[in-house]
Amino acid sequence: MTFEYVCTRNDLADLLEIPHGKLTHVLYVAKVDSFYKIFEIPKKSGGTRKICAPTGDLKQIQEKLYSILLHHQQFLRKQNNIRTNISHAFEKGKSIITNGEVHRNKRIVVNIDLQDFFDSFHFGRVCGFFEKNRDFALPHELAIVMAQLTCYQGKLPQGAPTSPIITNYICQTFDMRIIRIAKKYHLDYTRYADDLSFSTNDKKFIEQWEPFYNELTHEVERAGFKVNTKKTSVQYRDSRQTVTGLVINKKLSVDHRYYKQVRAMADSLYKTGCFNNNGVEGTVSQLEGKFAFIDQLDKYNNIKDVSQQHSVFCLNGREKQYQKFLFYRYFFAHEKPVIVTEGKTDIKYIKAALKNLYTEYPELIEKTPEGHFEFKVSFLKRSKRFKYFFHMSQDGADAMKNLYNFFSDKNPKYTNYFKVFSGCSNKNLCNPVILIFDNELSNKCKPLHSFVSHIGLSSSDKDRLKEDLCMKIIDEGNLFLVTNQLVDGKAECEIEDLFDDTTRNHVIAGKTFSSNDKADKEKHYGKEIFANFIQSNYKSINFDNFRPMLNNIVKVIAEFAGTEG
C-alpha cells in the first residue's frame, strides 16, 4: 500500500503496520505531546539547542513513517527522473562534505541562514502540505492526523525522525524558486537544512549583490521563512571561505582551531575523565564523532581507500590522535567488559548461549520485564576502521596479535597505549578485554598456538592455560585470554564442536553443516548459515558445553574487578 490508497485513519494504521486501536490511543487517549522527552545539546557556536525526542509507541510510529516517506520520496524521484544536488541535509549519500564540494575553490561564496528553521514548520503548514501537495493529496482529516503524529506543541520538533524528511519535502518548491534566482545571477546554490550557500567565479557578481539579496529575501519571506541577518556573509578567495563549518578555499578541511579544540578535549578526557564541549560536559560519543568527522575529511581529500592494505606505522598526525582515542574508548576506558572473538560467528554463538542460560549468568546478561535481553558485556564489532587503525581484519584470529601489540612493549614499532593511559589517566580500570580463541593449542598451524608463541608464553604458562582455559596475558594490564574446553576426547576443538551431534547435523535445504571452508558447497552449508540457525533457535539448542567458557568469563570479570578495586 502507498499513499495513493490511504484515505482514512485505519488505512494509515495499516500502512504503518500497527493495530487501528494503537493509532487511536496515541492520538486521542495518551495524547501525542505526552510521548516526548526534552533535553538540550551544545551548539558549535555556543549555547544549547533544545531537542524534543519521541518515545515509546510514538517513536516506533515515527520511525516507520519516516521509512515510508523515504521510500515514497525515492519512488517519486525515480519515476520523474529527478537527480537533486540542492538539498544535502538528511539525504542518503549527502553530507556537509558534498554540500561544501559544490562551492570549493570559488571566487565568491555567500552564506545565508534561515532563522528558527524548524519552528517555521508549524502544524498548519505540515497539514496543508500533505493535503495540497499533488504527490500526497490526502483528505483533510488524514492530513491533520499526519500533522498530529509529527508535530510537538504545534510545530516540527528537532529530535523527531520524521522532521528532517518532512522539511525537505516542503522545501522542494522553495529550492526550485531559489535555484531560478541563483541561475539568473550565475550562482551555484545548495541548501543544508537552514543554511543556504551560493558561489561563483564571476567577479562582477558583487556589483549585483543588492538586487540579488532583495530578490532572495523576498522569496525567503514568501516561503514562510526569515533571513538571519546576523549570519549573512560574503567571503572572497583571498580570505578564509567556509560553508557549513568547512573551509573550502582549495580543499575541504576543518578549521585548524577546531582540530586543536578536539585534541584539547581528548587530552582532558585522558587526564581527568571528562571534558568541556561548548560550555557543557561532553560525552565520549560526541568526541568520537568529532574525530571521525576529521578523519572522514582527510580521507576524502586524499581519496584514500580504507579497504586497501596499509601500515599502521604510516598514519599521519591526525590519524595517530584518532587511533589513540579509539584505543582509549574501546580497550582502556570501556564501560563494559569487552569480548574479542576470532570471527563474527563466534559472537552469535556466545550471545545465543547467554540468552538460553540467562538465569545462570546474571553477571553477563539480564532479561528486562518487557522480555528483551540486555548484555552486560560488549562484543567488539570489527569494522574497516579497526582494520585501518589496528590491523584488525574483519574476520580471522591474526588480528588478536596486532591488538596485543598495542598493550605491550614487545614490538617497539607499536605504541603501548595501555602504558600511555595508565601513566596519565585518573580513570580507574574496572573492565577487562577478553580474547576468546578456539582450543587448538596443540596445533602449530592454528591461531591459538600462533598467538601464544607471538606473546612468548612460557611452557609452564601454556600448561596452566591447558588446565585453567583462561589466563591474564599481561601482569600490569586488563588483557585476558579465554578458550573453550576440549570435548569428546578431541585434541583440539573449535567453538562449533561444543554443540551436540543433533545440532551439528541439522539439515538446511538438503545440506549439512561443515566448518571447513573448502567443503563441497552442493552438500554442505558454512558457518554463517549455521550461526544464524543457532541464533534463531537458541531456546531449543543444548549449550551445556558452553558453561566452562562462560564460567571463565565471569571469573575473569570478578577477579579483575577485585584486583583493580
Side-chain angles (χ1 to χ4, degrees):
M1 183 183 288
T2 64
F3 283 104
E4 181 182 358
Y5 304 102
V6 176
C7 300
T8 68
R9 190 168 69 240
N10 287 345
D11 290 338
L12 180 60
D14 292 338
L15 184 64
L16 293 169
E17 298 178 332
I18 62 173
H20 299 174
K22 175 180 281 191
L23 183 56
T24 301
H25 178 81
V26 169
L27 288 168
Y28 306 116
V29 181
K31 305 293 186 182
V32 170
D33 282 2
S34 69
F35 286 93
Y36 284 88
K37 63 178 180 180
I38 316 301
F39 57 94
E40 294 183 342
I41 61 173
K43 291 182 179 180
K44 290 182 179 179
S45 56
T48 59
R49 176 177 286 110
K50 184 179 179 181
I51 300 298
C52 307
T55 62
D57 288 340
L58 181 62
K59 180 181 180 181
Q60 294 176 2
I61 289 173
Q62 287 191 357
E63 287 174 342
K64 181 65 177 179
L65 185 56
Y66 163 76
S67 298
I68 294 169
L69 289 170
L70 178 62
H71 178 77
H72 191 59
Q73 182 185 67
Q74 293 169 341
F75 168 76
L76 292 172
R77 288 177 176 176
K78 184 176 181 180
Q79 184 183 54
N80 299 308
N81 196 28
I82 296 173
R83 299 179 65 184
T84 177
N85 196 36
I86 298 174
S87 174
H88 290 257
F90 325 120
E91 297 271 2
K92 186 178 181 179
K94 301 293 181 65
S95 65
I96 64 172
I97 293 177
T98 58
N99 185 60
E101 179 63 34
V102 175
H103 308 287
R104 184 175 63 84
N105 201 24
K106 295 291 185 67
R107 183 183 294 274
I108 300 172
V109 175
V110 177
N111 289 313
I112 305 288
D113 180 78
L114 302 181
Q115 188 170 311
D116 300 324
F117 181 68
F118 277 94
D119 288 354
S120 301
F121 297 89
H122 53 75
F123 188 95
R125 189 173 189 180
V126 175
C127 178
F129 170 78
F130 284 112
E131 182 179 4
K132 297 174 183 178
N133 183 270
R134 65 182 182 180
D135 294 324
F136 289 90
L138 299 180
H140 178 68
E141 292 76 11
L142 194 55
I144 289 177
V145 171
M146 291 288 285
Q148 287 175 315
L149 289 174
T150 56
C151 290
Y152 172 67
Q153 295 186 345
K155 55 195 176 187
L156 287 181
Q158 291 194 63
T162 44
S163 294
I165 193 167
I166 291 176
T167 63
N168 278 349
Y169 264 118
I170 295 177
C171 284
Q172 287 174 344
T173 300
F174 171 72
D175 284 333
M176 291 302 101
R177 290 173 178 169
I178 299 300
I179 197 69
R180 283 197 289 268
I181 296 174
K183 287 182 177 180
K184 177 180 177 180
Y185 291 95
H186 308 290
L187 297 164
D188 289 320
Y189 162 63
T190 63
R191 180 177 61 83
Y192 193 90
D194 55 351
D195 291 315
L196 314 185
S197 297
F198 305 85
S199 62
T200 182
N201 281 320
D202 184 1
K203 60 184 178 182
K204 295 181 180 180
F205 165 73
I206 202 64
E207 299 171 7
Q208 301 173 306
W209 165 253
E210 188 171 343
F212 161 74
Y213 186 75
N214 289 337
E215 286 187 50
L216 176 68
T217 303
H218 172 75
E219 198 57 64
V220 166
E221 293 176 351
R222 178 188 175 192
F225 301 115
K226 185 178 179 180
V227 173
N228 185 348
T229 55
K230 294 180 180 179
K231 292 187 177 181
T232 298
S233 66
V234 180
Q235 303 166 349
Y236 301 92
R237 180 176 287 167
D238 57 357
S239 63
R240 187 170 64 94
Q241 295 173 317
T242 63
V243 167
T244 50
L246 297 182
V247 179
I248 58 167
N249 290 69
K250 292 293 183 181
K251 63 180 182 179
L252 302 184
S253 63
V254 296
D255 190 305
H256 184 64
R257 290 171 295 183
Y258 177 82
Y259 174 65
K260 288 181 67 176
Q261 288 174 351
V262 173
R263 279 198 60 176
M265 290 177 186
D267 288 341
S268 176
L269 176 68
Y270 303 152
K271 294 175 182 177
T272 68
C274 61
F275 66 93
N276 183 290
N277 184 19
N278 293 323
V280 298
E281 185 173 341
T283 68
V284 178
S285 294
Q286 289 172 339
L287 189 53
E288 182 170 8
K290 294 176 186 291
F291 271 116
F293 173 63
I294 293 168
D295 188 62
Q296 182 185 11
L297 270 176
D298 284 346
K299 289 180 171 57
Y300 179 85
N301 287 318
N302 296 332
I303 318 177
K304 186 181 293 183
D305 184 357
V306 299
S307 66
Q308 292 180 347
Q309 187 65 27
H310 79 292
S311 171
V312 293
F313 313 125
C314 297
L315 301 180
N316 63 37
R318 291 185 175 188
E319 288 175 325
K320 287 179 180 178
Q321 290 298 321
Y322 190 21
Q323 179 192 61
K324 182 179 180 180
F325 170 82
L326 290 173
F327 187 94
Y328 178 86
R329 174 163 196 185
Y330 290 95
F331 306 113
F332 185 83
H334 42 291
E335 296 179 353
K336 298 179 181 179
V338 62
I339 292 176
V340 186
T341 60
E342 289 188 43
K344 56 187 177 181
T345 54
D346 297 351
I347 294 175
K348 294 182 179 181
Y349 300 143
I350 296 171
K351 283 186 173 182
L354 285 173
K355 288 163 73 174
N356 180 284
L357 304 170
Y358 76 93
T359 58
E360 299 179 34
Y361 295 97
E363 306 92 339
L364 306 179
I365 187 173
E366 69 177 359
K367 193 173 186 178
T368 67
E370 295 77 24
H372 303 300
F373 288 105
E374 293 184 355
F375 294 98
K376 297 183 180 180
V377 294
S378 63
F379 297 86
L380 185 71
K381 185 178 179 181
R382 300 192 204 173
S383 61
K384 290 181 179 179
R385 182 173 59 168
F386 282 104
K387 180 179 180 181
Y388 186 86
F389 286 102
F390 298 103
H391 274 180
M392 294 184 67
S393 57
Q394 290 179 268
D395 215 356
D398 281 347
M400 309 282 211
K401 294 190 288 188
N402 295 326
L403 177 59
Y404 165 82
N405 290 332
F406 291 96
F407 283 83
S408 166
D409 290 325
K410 187 177 181 65
N411 189 331
K413 291 184 178 180
Y414 289 82
T415 301
N416 183 344
Y417 282 124
F418 189 88
K419 178 185 288 186
V420 169
F421 291 124
S422 295
C424 74
S425 177
N426 69 353
K427 180 80 174 179
N428 291 322
L429 286 174
C430 55
N431 291 308
V433 176
I434 304 171
L435 310 182
I436 297 186
F437 284 87
D438 290 337
N439 194 336
E440 298 165 323
L441 188 59
S442 62
N443 191 327
K444 294 182 179 180
C445 300
K446 293 300 178 75
L448 180 55
H449 189 282
S450 176
F451 180 79
V452 298
S453 297
H454 176 74
I455 67 176
L457 209 62
S458 67
S459 297
S460 60
D461 282 338
K462 288 180 184 178
D463 291 337
R464 183 161 59 88
L465 177 60
K466 289 179 183 179
E467 181 70 24
D468 297 342
L469 303 179
C470 72
M471 65 179 300
K472 192 172 187 179
I473 298 175
I474 301 173
D475 291 337
E476 299 298 325
N478 65 339
L479 194 61
F480 291 78
L481 187 157
V482 169
T483 187
N484 52 265
Q485 64 171 323
L486 298 175
V487 297
D488 300 330
K490 295 181 178 181
E492 59 184 72
C493 279
E494 296 180 319
I495 193 170
E496 288 84 5
D497 293 319
L498 301 182
F499 295 103
D500 59 23
D501 290 342
T502 300
T503 303
R504 286 176 54 83
N505 294 330
H506 182 75
V507 177
I508 299 177
K511 301 178 182 179
T512 57
F513 169 63
S514 175
S515 60
N516 189 339
D517 294 334
K518 298 179 180 179
D520 187 345
K521 303 301 181 184
E522 297 297 319
K523 298 179 180 179
H524 304 287
Y525 60 85
K527 291 184 178 182
E528 187 66 29
I529 293 176
F530 184 67
N532 290 337
F533 162 71
I534 297 297
Q535 205 171 33
S536 300
N537 297 275
Y538 72 89
K539 291 182 180 180
S540 59
I541 301 292
N542 184 340
F543 288 101
D544 287 347
N545 286 333
F546 278 75
R547 283 189 173 91
M549 179 171 60
L550 299 178
N551 290 340
N552 274 330
I553 293 174
V554 171
K555 176 184 174 183
V556 164
I557 295 171
E559 289 184 355
F560 183 74
T563 301
E564 296 304 311

mmCIF file with all atom_site columns, all heavy atoms in Angstrom, residues 22-34:
data_model
loop_
_atom_site.group_PDB
_atom_site.id
_atom_site.type_symbol
_atom_site.label_atom_id
_atom_site.label_alt_id
_atom_site.label_comp_id
_atom_site.label_asym_id
_atom_site.label_entity_id
_atom_site.label_seq_id
_atom_site.pdbx_PDB_ins_code
_atom_site.Cartn_x
_atom_site.Cartn_y
_atom_site.Cartn_z
_atom_site.occupancy
_atom_site.B_iso_or_equiv
_atom_site.pdbx_formal_charge
_atom_site.auth_seq_id
_atom_site.auth_comp_id
_atom_site.auth_asym_id
_atom_site.auth_atom_id
_atom_site.pdbx_PDB_model_num
ATOM 1   N N   . LYS A 1 22 ? -4.195 1.122  18.407 1.00 0.00 ? 22 LYS A N   1
ATOM 2   C CA  . LYS A 1 22 ? -2.968 1.749  18.911 1.00 0.00 ? 22 LYS A CA  1
ATOM 3   C C   . LYS A 1 22 ? -2.834 3.163  18.372 1.00 0.00 ? 22 LYS A C   1
ATOM 4   O O   . LYS A 1 22 ? -2.477 4.102  19.118 1.00 0.00 ? 22 LYS A O   1
ATOM 5   C CB  . LYS A 1 22 ? -1.744 0.923  18.533 1.00 0.00 ? 22 LYS A CB  1
ATOM 6   C CG  . LYS A 1 22 ? -0.427 1.588  18.932 1.00 0.00 ? 22 LYS A CG  1
ATOM 7   C CD  . LYS A 1 22 ? 0.793  0.768  18.558 1.00 0.00 ? 22 LYS A CD  1
ATOM 8   C CE  . LYS A 1 22 ? 1.013  -0.360 19.547 1.00 0.00 ? 22 LYS A CE  1
ATOM 9   N NZ  . LYS A 1 22 ? 2.343  -1.006 19.360 1.00 0.00 ? 22 LYS A NZ  1
ATOM 10  N N   . LEU A 1 23 ? -3.127 3.355  17.090 1.00 0.00 ? 23 LEU A N   1
ATOM 11  C CA  . LEU A 1 23 ? -3.030 4.687  16.500 1.00 0.00 ? 23 LEU A CA  1
ATOM 12  C C   . LEU A 1 23 ? -4.031 5.626  17.173 1.00 0.00 ? 23 LEU A C   1
ATOM 13  O O   . LEU A 1 23 ? -3.692 6.769  17.513 1.00 0.00 ? 23 LEU A O   1
ATOM 14  C CB  . LEU A 1 23 ? -3.291 4.625  14.998 1.00 0.00 ? 23 LEU A CB  1
ATOM 15  C CG  . LEU A 1 23 ? -3.164 5.947  14.229 1.00 0.00 ? 23 LEU A CG  1
ATOM 16  C CD1 . LEU A 1 23 ? -1.794 6.561  14.441 1.00 0.00 ? 23 LEU A CD1 1
ATOM 17  C CD2 . LEU A 1 23 ? -3.438 5.731  12.737 1.00 0.00 ? 23 LEU A CD2 1
ATOM 18  N N   . THR A 1 24 ? -5.234 5.147  17.396 1.00 0.00 ? 24 THR A N   1
ATOM 19  C CA  . THR A 1 24 ? -6.258 5.956  18.061 1.00 0.00 ? 24 THR A CA  1
ATOM 20  C C   . THR A 1 24 ? -5.831 6.306  19.489 1.00 0.00 ? 24 THR A C   1
ATOM 21  O O   . THR A 1 24 ? -5.999 7.442  19.949 1.00 0.00 ? 24 THR A O   1
ATOM 22  C CB  . THR A 1 24 ? -7.598 5.201  18.094 1.00 0.00 ? 24 THR A CB  1
ATOM 23  O OG1 . THR A 1 24 ? -8.005 4.909  16.756 1.00 0.00 ? 24 THR A OG1 1
ATOM 24  C CG2 . THR A 1 24 ? -8.674 6.028  18.785 1.00 0.00 ? 24 THR A CG2 1
ATOM 25  N N   . HIS A 1 25 ? -5.253 5.335  20.190 1.00 0.00 ? 25 HIS A N   1
ATOM 26  C CA  . HIS A 1 25 ? -4.804 5.557  21.567 1.00 0.00 ? 25 HIS A CA  1
ATOM 27  C C   . HIS A 1 25 ? -3.726 6.640  21.624 1.00 0.00 ? 25 HIS A C   1
ATOM 28  O O   . HIS A 1 25 ? -3.783 7.534  22.482 1.00 0.00 ? 25 HIS A O   1
ATOM 29  C CB  . HIS A 1 25 ? -4.264 4.248  22.151 1.00 0.00 ? 25 HIS A CB  1
ATOM 30  C CG  . HIS A 1 25 ? -3.728 4.382  23.545 1.00 0.00 ? 25 HIS A CG  1
ATOM 31  N ND1 . HIS A 1 25 ? -4.542 4.381  24.656 1.00 0.00 ? 25 HIS A ND1 1
ATOM 32  C CD2 . HIS A 1 25 ? -2.451 4.540  24.005 1.00 0.00 ? 25 HIS A CD2 1
ATOM 33  C CE1 . HIS A 1 25 ? -3.799 4.536  25.739 1.00 0.00 ? 25 HIS A CE1 1
ATOM 34  N NE2 . HIS A 1 25 ? -2.529 4.629  25.376 1.00 0.00 ? 25 HIS A NE2 1
ATOM 35  N N   . VAL A 1 26 ? -2.735 6.568  20.731 1.00 0.00 ? 26 VAL A N   1
ATOM 36  C CA  . VAL A 1 26 ? -1.649 7.549  20.720 1.00 0.00 ? 26 VAL A CA  1
ATOM 37  C C   . VAL A 1 26 ? -2.190 8.947  20.430 1.00 0.00 ? 26 VAL A C   1
ATOM 38  O O   . VAL A 1 26 ? -1.800 9.930  21.068 1.00 0.00 ? 26 VAL A O   1
ATOM 39  C CB  . VAL A 1 26 ? -0.582 7.158  19.681 1.00 0.00 ? 26 VAL A CB  1
ATOM 40  C CG1 . VAL A 1 26 ? 0.410  8.301  19.465 1.00 0.00 ? 26 VAL A CG1 1
ATOM 41  C CG2 . VAL A 1 26 ? 0.165  5.911  20.127 1.00 0.00 ? 26 VAL A CG2 1
ATOM 42  N N   . LEU A 1 27 ? -3.134 9.042  19.484 1.00 0.00 ? 27 LEU A N   1
ATOM 43  C CA  . LEU A 1 27 ? -3.642 10.338 19.051 1.00 0.00 ? 27 LEU A CA  1
ATOM 44  C C   . LEU A 1 27 ? -4.596 10.978 20.062 1.00 0.00 ? 27 LEU A C   1
ATOM 45  O O   . LEU A 1 27 ? -4.497 12.180 20.346 1.00 0.00 ? 27 LEU A O   1
ATOM 46  C CB  . LEU A 1 27 ? -4.353 10.197 17.704 1.00 0.00 ? 27 LEU A CB  1
ATOM 47  C CG  . LEU A 1 27 ? -3.462 9.960  16.476 1.00 0.00 ? 27 LEU A CG  1
ATOM 48  C CD1 . LEU A 1 27 ? -4.311 9.558  15.275 1.00 0.00 ? 27 LEU A CD1 1
ATOM 49  C CD2 . LEU A 1 27 ? -2.652 11.210 16.147 1.00 0.00 ? 27 LEU A CD2 1
ATOM 50  N N   . TYR A 1 28 ? -5.488 10.171 20.613 1.00 0.00 ? 28 TYR A N   1
ATOM 51  C CA  . TYR A 1 28 ? -6.612 10.780 21.325 1.00 0.00 ? 28 TYR A CA  1
ATOM 52  C C   . TYR A 1 28 ? -6.766 10.368 22.785 1.00 0.00 ? 28 TYR A C   1
ATOM 53  O O   . TYR A 1 28 ? -7.542 10.983 23.507 1.00 0.00 ? 28 TYR A O   1
ATOM 54  C CB  . TYR A 1 28 ? -7.915 10.474 20.575 1.00 0.00 ? 28 TYR A CB  1
ATOM 55  C CG  . TYR A 1 28 ? -7.856 10.890 19.128 1.00 0.00 ? 28 TYR A CG  1
ATOM 56  C CD1 . TYR A 1 28 ? -7.944 9.945  18.102 1.00 0.00 ? 28 TYR A CD1 1
ATOM 57  C CD2 . TYR A 1 28 ? -7.678 12.230 18.783 1.00 0.00 ? 28 TYR A CD2 1
ATOM 58  C CE1 . TYR A 1 28 ? -7.876 10.334 16.769 1.00 0.00 ? 28 TYR A CE1 1
ATOM 59  C CE2 . TYR A 1 28 ? -7.609 12.622 17.454 1.00 0.00 ? 28 TYR A CE2 1
ATOM 60  C CZ  . TYR A 1 28 ? -7.704 11.669 16.449 1.00 0.00 ? 28 TYR A CZ  1
ATOM 61  O OH  . TYR A 1 28 ? -7.627 12.056 15.143 1.00 0.00 ? 28 TYR A OH  1
ATOM 62  N N   . VAL A 1 29 ? -6.038 9.339  23.220 1.00 0.00 ? 29 VAL A N   1
ATOM 63  C CA  . VAL A 1 29 ? -6.134 8.923  24.613 1.00 0.00 ? 29 VAL A CA  1
ATOM 64  C C   . VAL A 1 29 ? -4.882 9.359  25.378 1.00 0.00 ? 29 VAL A C   1
ATOM 65  O O   . VAL A 1 29 ? -4.956 10.173 26.315 1.00 0.00 ? 29 VAL A O   1
ATOM 66  C CB  . VAL A 1 29 ? -6.344 7.389  24.733 1.00 0.00 ? 29 VAL A CB  1
ATOM 67  C CG1 . VAL A 1 29 ? -6.453 6.994  26.202 1.00 0.00 ? 29 VAL A CG1 1
ATOM 68  C CG2 . VAL A 1 29 ? -7.603 6.963  23.969 1.00 0.00 ? 29 VAL A CG2 1
ATOM 69  N N   . ALA A 1 30 ? -3.744 8.821  24.976 1.00 0.00 ? 30 ALA A N   1
ATOM 70  C CA  . ALA A 1 30 ? -2.487 9.193  25.640 1.00 0.00 ? 30 ALA A CA  1
ATOM 71  C C   . ALA A 1 30 ? -2.055 10.614 25.279 1.00 0.00 ? 30 ALA A C   1
ATOM 72  O O   . ALA A 1 30 ? -1.378 11.285 26.060 1.00 0.00 ? 30 ALA A O   1
ATOM 73  C CB  . ALA A 1 30 ? -1.392 8.194  25.279 1.00 0.00 ? 30 ALA A CB  1
ATOM 74  N N   . LYS A 1 31 ? -2.451 11.069 24.081 1.00 0.00 ? 31 LYS A N   1
ATOM 75  C CA  . LYS A 1 31 ? -2.079 12.381 23.542 1.00 0.00 ? 31 LYS A CA  1
ATOM 76  C C   . LYS A 1 31 ? -0.616 12.381 23.083 1.00 0.00 ? 31 LYS A C   1
ATOM 77  O O   . LYS A 1 31 ? 0.290  11.975 23.812 1.00 0.00 ? 31 LYS A O   1
ATOM 78  C CB  . LYS A 1 31 ? -2.306 13.514 24.547 1.00 0.00 ? 31 LYS A CB  1
ATOM 79  C CG  . LYS A 1 31 ? -3.722 13.595 25.113 1.00 0.00 ? 31 LYS A CG  1
ATOM 80  C CD  . LYS A 1 31 ? -4.731 13.978 24.065 1.00 0.00 ? 31 LYS A CD  1
ATOM 81  C CE  . LYS A 1 31 ? -6.104 14.190 24.704 1.00 0.00 ? 31 LYS A CE  1
ATOM 82  N NZ  . LYS A 1 31 ? -7.153 14.532 23.720 1.00 0.00 ? 31 LYS A NZ  1
ATOM 83  N N   . VAL A 1 32 ? -0.413 12.882 21.879 1.00 0.00 ? 32 VAL A N   1
ATOM 84  C CA  . VAL A 1 32 ? 0.903  12.826 21.225 1.00 0.00 ? 32 VAL A CA  1
ATOM 85  C C   . VAL A 1 32 ? 1.983  13.544 22.031 1.00 0.00 ? 32 VAL A C   1
ATOM 86  O O   . VAL A 1 32 ? 3.094  13.040 22.211 1.00 0.00 ? 32 VAL A O   1
ATOM 87  C CB  . VAL A 1 32 ? 0.809  13.414 19.798 1.00 0.00 ? 32 VAL A CB  1
ATOM 88  C CG1 . VAL A 1 32 ? 2.201  13.586 19.213 1.00 0.00 ? 32 VAL A CG1 1
ATOM 89  C CG2 . VAL A 1 32 ? -0.037 12.521 18.901 1.00 0.00 ? 32 VAL A CG2 1
ATOM 90  N N   . ASP A 1 33 ? 1.672  14.729 22.546 1.00 0.00 ? 33 ASP A N   1
ATOM 91  C CA  . ASP A 1 33 ? 2.707  15.521 23.228 1.00 0.00 ? 33 ASP A CA  1
ATOM 92  C C   . ASP A 1 33 ? 3.253  14.839 24.481 1.00 0.00 ? 33 ASP A C   1
ATOM 93  O O   . ASP A 1 33 ? 4.353  15.171 24.948 1.00 0.00 ? 33 ASP A O   1
ATOM 94  C CB  . ASP A 1 33 ? 2.146  16.895 23.604 1.00 0.00 ? 33 ASP A CB  1
ATOM 95  C CG  . ASP A 1 33 ? 2.087  17.839 22.410 1.00 0.00 ? 33 ASP A CG  1
ATOM 96  O OD1 . ASP A 1 33 ? 2.438  17.409 21.295 1.00 0.00 ? 33 ASP A OD1 1
ATOM 97  O OD2 . ASP A 1 33 ? 1.687  19.004 22.592 1.00 0.00 ? 33 ASP A OD2 1
ATOM 98  N N   . SER A 1 34 ? 2.521  13.878 25.025 1.00 0.00 ? 34 SER A N   1
ATOM 99  C CA  . SER A 1 34 ? 2.978  13.198 26.247 1.00 0.00 ? 34 SER A CA  1
ATOM 100 C C   . SER A 1 34 ? 4.094  12.202 25.971 1.00 0.00 ? 34 SER A C   1
ATOM 101 O O   . SER A 1 34 ? 4.710  11.680 26.899 1.00 0.00 ? 34 SER A O   1
ATOM 102 C CB  . SER A 1 34 ? 1.801  12.475 26.911 1.00 0.00 ? 34 SER A CB  1
ATOM 103 O OG  . SER A 1 34 ? 1.371  11.368 26.124 1.00 0.00 ? 34 SER A OG  1
#
